[in-house]
Amino acid sequence: MKKFRKVLDGLTTSSPGGTIGTPSCGSAAGTPTAAPTPKEIDVQETLISENFQLCKTVRHGFPYQPTALAFDPVQKILAIGSRSGGVRILGRPGVDCYCQHESGAAVLQLQFLINEGALVTACADDTLHLWNLRQRRPAVLHSLKFNRERITFCHLPFQSKWLYVGTERGNTHIVNIESFILSGYVIMWNKAIELSTKTHPGPVVHLSDSPKDEGKLLVGFESGTIVQWDLRAKKADFRIYYDEAIHSVSWHHEGKTFMCSHSDGSLTLWNLRNTSKPFQVTFPHGKIQKDGRKESCKPILKVEYKTSRSSEPFVIFSGGLSYDKAGRRPTLTIMHGKAITVLEMDHPIVEFMVLCETPYNNEVQDPYAVVVLLEKDLIVVDLTQSNFPVFENPYPMDVHESPVTCTAYFADCPPDIIPILYSIGAKHKKTGYSQKEWPVSGGSWTLGSHTYPEIIITGHADGSVKFWDASAFTLQMLYKLKTSKVFEKPKAGEGRAAELVEEDPFAVQMVSWCPQSRIFCVVGISAHIILYRFSKYDANTQIVSLEVRLQCDSEDIITPSENENNPCFAEPGSHSPQPHHQHPLSPGSRTPEGAKDSIPCLKVKDRVVRVPPGYQSELVIQLLWVDGEPPQQITSLDINSAYGLLAFGNLNGLAVVDYLQKTVLLCISTLDLYGATDPYQRLTRSPRRNRQSTSGLTELTDNQQSTDMDRSKSPTSESRENSFSRSRSSSVSSIDRDTKEAVTTLQFGESYGRKNDVLPGPCLWVGTSLGVVLLIPMSIPIDHEERMEDSVTVGPSGAVQMLKGSVLRFAFLDCSGALIQGPYEVWRDQNAPEDSDRPRRRKLVHFSPSSSQDACGEGHLTVVCSERQAKVFLMPSQSCLFVHNITESSFVLRADVVSVCNSVCLACFCANGHVMMLSLPSLRPLMDVNYLPLTDMRIARTFYFTNGGQALYLSSPTEIQRITYTQEMCDNLQEMLGELFTPIETPEAQNRGFLKGFFGGNTQTFDREELFGEAAAGKASRSLAQHIPGQGGVEGMKVAAGGAVGELARARIALDERGQRLGELEERTALMMTSAETFSKHAHELMLKCKDKKWYQF
């Protein structure tokens, strides 16, 4: 606990970046005598650095760029590998774990140690990793790096500790899973094929043990060669040379036949009795043409051949369509008896896997589902029903259904908002799903004790907005809103938005939500704002449209007193578009006399529309084209339900709208906000007419957007995603930035508009890209009837403060350091049936700073954070109490004042990847962690801090990463996460019966240890592979390895280890004794040799 006392009367504080034309920040020398005398401020700060720690919590969404798939049929958990080296492990809802390989190498293949609580991953850097899944946060136990050969395929037989590894050279190596050391037993490619064969068979593409005999290993080579290798005899039983490349092989459970898929779109069925030619060759999608030849088909990349007790076998494969069917979507084909079902997919198939009732490959498989991993989706098909419906996916795999362009995170929502959003969103859910339970049901998860209502909002490129329930580290979609429904559909090849954004005219730039009043605002890329109110009833509504002309001439000379050349004022009360706006010229007809002017980018529906329950649009605000120039995108927004006002700004200026009376109150350029107090004394505008300013992260605002984004492309454009070449200089980095000053943040609140104000009143705080802070007091009628009839008066006060860099965030504290919430209107359903006993009136809730006047007299504290600096001012004197330079070499991307540990702090995320926490009001550094190097624009525009010690960002285009920055949540993280492994008894193998055993149908078992162990096979070459111990430790590996045999096996392992250590100790003792004896012998010989020599003979 630390006290901060600062006597402001007569105290001068040095501060960088004082204002021009006003007293320097922190100096009381220039304070007007009319202002109240500042008194001693006494704030007890409770936050210390030990309260903070940064760590990842959970990751939601679909794994980006998936590459591999695996399923544990006993534990019923699913693993998905990705190109960036990530592994997602999924079980029942709530069981969702993300692991990351440190190398970042792509995951080629995944293999579960079935019912052992472990997973083997093979990566593109030719390294094998063993993960321990018996802990809530899986860790690598062992790694094995191949130095001379590239890994192409892996196979781990059920209940075996020996992993077969095929390589690009055609060799097959064997790895002991427990020790993760190579066996000396190797199947060399030149031994596997006949000596007379002149060509290399190619990489190993398949390995599997025969269901009939575990001592027989089937090796498939890419060229079309298949070899069954007798592991005991160390020779080939048979060799098949087929003239088409092999992609996959699948056994019949009896081990007498197997099926191959080939590059020409064919399936071949082979019988072990006669391997000279295939028993059957089929082209499932290849029709016979008129000339008698087969259609050429695409490769069948994978086939699975599964038997069923109750019906004919299933043959399931991906690919194989004929080449001439252009535009056909990727398909999964299910052949069941004579019936062929082709399932078309929305995205290319990465991998699929058939889920079966038994883990034993020598039993009837009885498949019940197919997991299909697509490039951008995960679906599971129900095989038990003839129409093959899909299961409803319980995971939030559709976060990226349309690319995410912005996020918002609310961790302290009213408890009733989640149920009501869910009830309305549930009415629009899709139907036709399988009635059976989701088959991936492994793991265990319980609702933790640290739960409270949390909502995540995502805005998307197609104009949709999704509300997600994010409570208790889960994510479930509650409600989806389509903002494009407000507008008319643009005609093909036309549309007034064509020049502004060709791809996504409705893309969401930022959102503003008041959970208490349930008012919701969306800012779109076409310079439009839509205001929504929430209702539980459907309604017929006429959408009101306001058009605002917020554009400054870029060439005329402007001084603060010249307003005639500045067309930035709109007439208050300009309502829906005038008739002459309804039919604009097409974008292509750009003649000097026919240039676009006074038209919006999009056309709002001008008819009465039926709107369902939920969020219903009430007002649309659009910026207009001016003299052929499209409007600048909106860079800042704030809405206050108690005031009934909405403010927004862009590169040209600021507008304030009364959304209750549907009028524009203020529409003014940034320069005119200053009056005569412009700190830069600018007289000219930049001569550049084009609206393409420097791209990159140099103009990021408090919301997650850039102030001057690339106007010609959507937020999902790759070119803007990677534009980080420009370095940040001072707060004024170019002529264009000097003269064009964007409004970067806005905040309504109860404050003091002028230094001599005695009582607080409604104010609008304005922050600009040049680090200037302006204060605009407002006069709002209090009475309900007067508020709906009398106009609100808004007038800049001329109060100016300066900071380094663009202003990002405002917040207000009382003089005891507590956060002051903004006033709001209590939600009321405007479409509800009227009650004569309870007239429908606005109910307002205010949190006035004067409520804590006992602590310090009049006034409150204002926290201002910019890209470089944070300052705390005392109002109304506007004296600077504290200042902290956050960064000199980088700049802040996101800043939020958050409630944490029953106190408040300032949270900052910088472009250099640092996450920082500063105490309030003293701005004392509490945490500075180099966490996340900024790699693209996506992270910058989606990073969001919220209360309760949490934050989020988009870690990839399809995944939301949540993090915590409090020590308490890091400590409690284990109990909040789900358990991946649950103790389950391995199902027993079926009794195959006397007759099958008598006629040779029984499965032969053999001891792999006798063949592959060091005693029989020797040691592998040290240069072939390097063993790397993992972070999980040997103890965890032993726990994972002993899952099948239980406690007895673990005790035996411990005993063996003890005996091994005693044996090693005995060996070392014997070695030392031998060494001592040798030394004694040599010393004696030397003594005898030198005994009779004189001193001069040496």
Side-chain angles (χ1 to χ4, degrees):
M1 185 166 302
K2 193 171 182 181
K3 284 191 177 184
F4 290 91
R5 295 176 180 272
K6 185 167 278 193
V7 181
L8 304 173
D9 194 13
L11 182 68
T12 303
T13 305
S14 62
S15 169
T19 61
I20 301 173
T22 59
S24 177
C25 173
S27 172
T31 304
T33 55
T37 304
K39 297 185 179 181
E40 186 180 272
I41 177 172
D42 182 2
V43 176
Q44 289 191 345
E45 292 190 1
T46 58
L47 292 178
I48 56 176
S49 59
E50 284 74 17
N51 293 131
F52 295 93
Q53 182 184 342
L54 199 69
C55 69
K56 294 179 180 179
T57 54
V58 289
R59 183 174 289 213
H60 304 297
F62 181 75
Y64 183 55
Q65 295 179 327
T67 54
L69 182 69
F71 182 72
D72 186 325
V74 179
Q75 287 289 318
K76 295 192 183 302
I77 55 175
L78 188 77
I80 301 172
S82 71
R83 193 177 299 174
S84 60
V87 178
R88 281 282 288 285
I89 305 170
L90 303 167
R92 67 177 66 248
V95 178
D96 186 342
C97 178
Y98 174 77
C99 315
Q100 175 68 45
H101 291 93
E102 289 184 2
S103 64
V107 178
L108 298 179
Q109 199 175 345
L110 298 164
Q111 286 273 320
F112 275 106
L113 277 66
I114 295 173
N115 205 26
E116 301 278 351
L119 175 72
V120 175
T121 58
C123 296
D125 60 351
D126 306 306
T127 306
L128 297 172
H129 304 274
L130 178 65
W131 293 82
N132 178 17
L133 307 184
R134 292 181 172 234
Q135 52 196 62
R136 298 191 187 218
R137 292 218 159 212
V140 173
L141 297 168
H142 294 288
S143 297
L144 189 66
K145 167 77 173 170
F146 280 73
N147 297 322
R148 296 183 301 189
E149 298 194 54
R150 309 219 63 181
I151 298 171
T152 55
F153 195 87
C154 297
H155 170 63
L156 180 65
F158 179 45
Q159 292 183 322
S160 167
K161 68 174 185 179
W162 297 96
L163 174 73
Y164 301 113
V165 181
T167 68
E168 195 174 40
R169 291 186 180 180
N171 302 323
T172 301
H173 300 275
I174 301 168
V175 178
N176 186 314
I177 287 296
E178 291 181 354
S179 61
F180 237 58
I181 295 174
L182 271 179
S183 166
Y185 193 114
V186 184
I187 305 173
M188 303 299 291
W189 69 270
N190 54 352
K191 299 285 181 63
I193 65 171
E194 289 178 321
L195 295 175
S196 59
T197 307
K198 296 180 180 179
T199 57
H200 191 280
V204 175
V205 295
H206 177 81
L207 292 167
S208 62
D209 54 321
S210 167
K212 191 176 178 182
D213 184 355
E214 293 177 348
K216 311 281 188 177
L217 183 69
L218 197 69
V219 184
F221 298 92
E222 189 180 61
S223 64
T225 301
I226 301 173
V227 176
Q228 180 166 288
W229 185 261
D230 188 329
L231 294 166
R232 300 182 193 89
K234 299 183 181 179
K235 65 183 182 64
D237 284 345
F238 63 80
R239 298 179 177 92
I240 295 172
Y241 299 99
Y242 197 66
D243 53 3
E244 287 295 338
I246 292 174
H247 285 284
S248 72
V249 182
S250 183
W251 280 98
H252 186 281
H253 81 273
E254 291 180 348
K256 297 176 182 177
T257 58
F258 61 87
M259 185 175 287
C260 300
S261 69
H262 300 278
S263 57
D264 63 346
S266 67
L267 295 173
T268 57
L269 187 63
W270 299 84
N271 194 313
L272 298 193
R273 291 179 181 176
N274 180 13
T275 56
S276 59
K277 63 178 182 178
F279 174 72
Q280 182 182 350
V281 180
T282 55
F283 287 81
H285 295 301
K287 295 178 181 177
I288 300 175
Q289 298 175 330
K290 293 180 180 179
D291 57 2
R293 291 186 302 173
K294 289 267 187 186
E295 286 181 310
S296 59
C297 296
K298 298 175 182 177
I300 294 178
L301 300 178
K302 183 176 181 180
V303 64
E304 292 223 29
Y305 185 24
K306 301 295 180 185
T307 52
S308 175
R309 280 188 181 84
S310 58
S311 63
E312 295 187 62
F314 284 85
V315 176
I316 302 171
F317 62 89
S318 59
L321 291 181
S322 60
Y323 277 105
D324 62 347
K325 293 177 181 175
R328 282 285 294 272
R329 293 192 291 181
T331 60
L332 183 80
T333 305
I334 302 173
M335 297 171 64
H336 188 213
K338 294 182 179 179
I340 299 179
T341 305
V342 179
L343 304 178
E344 289 194 338
M345 304 294 166
D346 293 331
H347 310 285
I349 297 172
V350 175
E351 172 75 286
F352 75 88
M353 184 165 287
V354 179
L355 309 188
C356 301
E357 294 290 352
T358 176
Y360 297 93
N361 66 347
N362 59 357
E363 295 179 355
V364 179
Q365 299 296 286
D366 278 334
Y368 59 90
V370 185
V371 179
V372 188
L373 178 63
L374 308 177
E375 276 190 4
K376 294 185 178 180
D377 202 1
L378 176 74
I379 65 169
V380 181
V381 180
D382 186 353
L383 291 179
T384 61
Q385 299 181 46
S386 58
N387 59 337
F388 303 128
V390 298
F391 290 88
E392 185 176 7
N393 196 327
Y395 316 122
M397 292 291 183
D398 57 346
V399 171
H400 64 289
E401 185 179 17
S402 173
V404 178
T405 52
C406 72
T407 61
Y409 191 7
F410 300 87
D412 47 1
C413 306
D416 60 334
I417 193 74
I418 289 179
I420 196 167
L421 283 173
Y422 180 79
S423 64
I424 289 176
K427 297 175 184 177
H428 304 286
K429 279 195 170 183
K430 296 178 182 177
T431 56
Y433 292 112
S434 171
Q435 297 303 308
K436 295 199 172 183
E437 288 188 7
W438 179 253
V440 185
S441 56
S444 62
W445 178 78
T446 55
L447 199 65
S449 55
H450 300 267
T451 58
Y452 42 83
E454 299 176 70
I455 284 183
I456 292 172
I457 300 175
T458 54
H460 300 264
D462 64 353
S464 62
V465 177
K466 293 179 181 179
F467 290 75
W468 306 84
D469 177 8
S471 309
F473 285 165
T474 61
L475 196 70
Q476 182 181 15
M477 196 172 83
L478 297 170
Y479 175 74
K480 182 178 179 180
L481 175 67
K482 295 181 179 179
T483 64
S484 58
K485 288 188 174 182
V486 171
F487 303 100
E488 301 283 2
K489 291 182 179 178
K491 295 178 181 178
E494 290 186 15
R496 287 170 282 186
E499 281 185 35
L500 184 65
V501 256
E502 295 178 357
E503 297 164 356
D504 301 304
F506 308 113
V508 178
Q509 270 190 291
M510 65 182 82
V511 295
S512 179
W513 186 46
C514 176
Q516 286 81 14
S517 64
R518 300 185 188 174
I519 285 185
F520 184 58
C521 258
V522 176
V523 175
I525 200 170
S526 298
H528 64 272
I529 300 171
I530 310 171
L531 185 142
Y532 291 90
R533 283 185 185 271
F534 187 83
S535 175
K536 293 189 286 186
Y537 304 91
D538 55 2
N540 295 316
T541 182
Q542 171 83 46
I543 303 168
V544 178
S545 175
L546 281 178
E547 295 178 352
V548 178
R549 187 181 173 95
L550 190 60
Q551 191 90 359
C552 296
D553 199 323
S554 58
E555 287 184 346
D556 291 342
I557 296 176
I558 299 172
T559 63
S561 60
E562 291 177 350
N563 294 330
E564 61 273 11
N565 293 328
N566 181 18
C568 289
F569 294 93
E571 296 180 10
S574 57
H575 287 277
S576 55
Q578 300 302 316
H580 66 276
H581 294 162
Q582 301 298 321
H583 304 285
L585 295 164
S586 83
S589 58
R590 279 212 163 217
T591 57
E593 54 275 350
K596 290 186 182 182
D597 187 51
S598 299
I599 57 170
C601 297
L602 301 169
K603 185 176 184 294
V604 179
K605 290 179 180 177
D606 55 1
R607 61 186 182 277
V608 175
V609 291
R610 184 79 173 172
V611 289
Y615 273 103
Q616 301 168 351
S617 55
E618 180 175 296
L619 176 66
V620 177
I621 304 166
Q622 290 182 283
L623 297 185
L624 300 174
W625 286 65
V626 176
D627 298 331
E629 285 288 312
Q632 296 283 351
Q633 289 174 5
I634 294 162
T635 57
S636 55
L637 170 79
D638 193 37
I639 186 168
N640 188 281
S641 56
Y643 301 159
L645 300 179
L646 181 152
F648 64 93
N650 67 0
L651 198 63
N652 289 325
L654 167 71
V656 180
V657 172
D658 183 340
Y659 67 78
L660 296 177
Q661 297 186 22
K662 310 293 190 294
T663 58
V664 180
L665 301 176
L666 180 71
C667 183
I668 188 170
S669 72
T670 317
L671 199 59
D672 290 321
L673 281 170
Y674 296 112
T677 60
D678 180 11
Y680 290 101
Q681 301 297 318
R682 289 159 290 189
L683 296 176
T684 59
R685 293 282 182 191
S686 167
R688 295 169 58 195
R689 284 194 68 90
N690 68 328
R691 46 204 302 284
Q692 303 281 346
S693 74
T694 50
S695 60
L697 296 177
T698 56
E699 303 284 353
L700 291 169
T701 72
D702 62 321
N703 286 299
Q704 50 284 349
Q705 306 298 322
S706 66
T707 53
D708 200 16
M709 295 164 75
D710 189 357
R711 312 288 185 225
S712 63
K713 296 181 181 176
S714 77
T716 57
S717 169
E718 284 296 323
S719 64
R720 202 187 59 244
E721 289 275 347
N722 298 304
S723 53
F724 301 99
S725 56
R726 199 179 146 203
S727 63
R728 189 81 170 161
S729 60
S730 65
S731 61
V732 186
S733 56
S734 69
I735 296 175
D736 192 50
R737 282 176 56 79
D738 273 340
T739 55
K740 283 208 165 187
E741 185 175 6
V743 176
T744 55
T745 185
L746 296 162
Q747 182 74 53
F748 285 107
E750 296 285 311
S751 188
Y752 300 86
R754 296 169 182 83
K755 292 184 178 182
N756 53 2
D757 282 355
V758 178
L759 295 174
C763 290
L764 175 63
W765 288 76
V766 181
T768 75
S769 57
L770 297 187
V772 179
V773 176
L774 298 141
L775 193 54
I776 301 176
M778 300 172 294
S779 176
I780 302 175
I782 299 174
D783 184 74
H784 176 72
E785 283 76 14
E786 291 179 358
R787 176 64 186 87
M788 301 304 293
E789 295 174 4
D790 296 351
S791 60
V792 175
T793 57
V794 180
S797 66
V800 176
Q801 298 290 347
M802 288 290 295
L803 285 87
K804 294 179 182 178
S806 297
V807 181
L808 300 179
R809 178 68 64 214
F810 295 114
F812 311 115
L813 310 177
D814 62 23
C815 290
S816 64
L819 187 65
I820 301 172
Q821 296 184 29
Y824 64 86
E825 176 190 359
V826 177
W827 174 72
R828 57 197 173 95
D829 197 332
Q830 293 188 322
N831 296 332
E834 292 199 22
D835 188 349
S836 56
D837 298 334
R838 298 172 62 187
R840 196 178 297 164
R841 298 179 64 85
R842 299 178 74 222
K843 182 181 177 183
L844 308 182
V845 177
H846 285 267
F847 300 93
S848 174
S850 58
S851 61
S852 57
Q853 286 180 1
D854 297 338
C856 63
E858 298 176 8
H860 69 88
L861 304 176
T862 298
V863 181
V864 187
C865 184
S866 74
E867 289 177 326
R868 301 289 180 84
Q869 208 174 41
K871 292 185 179 182
V872 177
F873 299 96
L874 178 66
M875 302 300 291
S877 67
Q878 301 178 15
S879 303
C880 182
L881 303 186
F882 303 98
V883 60
H884 178 74
N885 291 323
I886 299 171
T887 177
E888 293 294 338
S889 57
S890 184
F891 55 100
V892 179
L893 294 167
R894 178 80 198 183
D896 290 291
V897 174
V898 290
S899 298
V900 58
C901 301
N902 299 315
S903 188
V904 290
C905 66
L906 175 63
C908 301
F909 172 55
C910 295
N912 59 8
H914 283 250
V915 176
M916 288 182 265
M917 299 291 151
L918 303 174
S919 68
L920 288 176
S922 68
L923 300 176
R924 178 172 45 95
L926 296 169
M927 183 183 79
D928 185 353
V929 177
N930 187 2
Y931 167 67
L932 181 74
L934 193 66
T935 51
D936 53 35
M937 188 72 159
R938 180 188 62 254
I939 297 171
R941 69 162 181 262
T942 57
F943 204 101
Y944 204 103
F945 291 102
T946 191
N947 297 331
Q950 296 199 73
L952 66 78
Y953 61 93
L954 240 70
S955 56
S956 74
T958 63
E959 294 167 287
I960 295 173
Q961 178 68 58
R962 288 163 72 176
I963 61 174
T964 180
Y965 48 87
T966 65
Q967 182 68 54
E968 182 185 13
M969 189 167 285
C970 288
D971 293 341
N972 296 322
L973 191 58
Q974 291 294 327
E975 68 177 63
M976 296 177 176
L977 299 174
E979 289 272 9
L980 292 172
F981 180 81
T982 52
I984 300 174
E985 196 169 330
T986 302
E988 292 185 5
Q990 294 175 1
N991 187 359
R992 298 180 60 80
F994 171 75
L995 287 176
K996 281 201 171 184
F998 184 77
F999 289 108
N1002 64 318
T1003 302
Q1004 297 182 34
T1005 59
F1006 78 111
D1007 189 354
R1008 294 183 177 92
E1009 184 70 34
E1010 290 183 5
L1011 287 175
F1012 307 145
E1014 189 176 321
K1019 291 184 178 180
S1021 170
R1022 288 188 177 182
S1023 60
L1024 185 61
Q1026 176 189 358
H1027 176 259
I1028 306 166
Q1031 297 174 344
V1034 180
E1035 294 80 7
M1037 186 276 294
K1038 293 300 182 187
V1039 172
V1045 284
E1047 296 297 329
L1048 186 62
R1050 280 192 279 277
R1052 191 191 70 207
I1053 289 170
L1055 193 62
D1056 289 346
E1057 284 180 341
R1058 185 168 176 265
Q1060 185 180 351
R1061 285 195 293 270
L1062 287 171
E1064 289 172 355
L1065 181 62
E1066 187 178 349
E1067 287 175 3
R1068 283 199 298 270
T1069 305
L1071 191 65
M1072 289 173 67
M1073 288 177 65
T1074 306
S1075 178
E1077 287 175 4
T1078 306
F1079 178 79
S1080 173
K1081 181 181 176 183
H1082 281 270
H1084 185 69
E1085 288 175 353
L1086 186 63
M1087 183 269 293
L1088 292 175
K1089 185 178 179 181
C1090 303
K1091 180 179 178 182
D1092 299 321
K1093 286 187 179 181
K1094 303 295 183 183
W1095 64 269
Y1096 53 82
Q1097 291 178 316
F1098 283 95

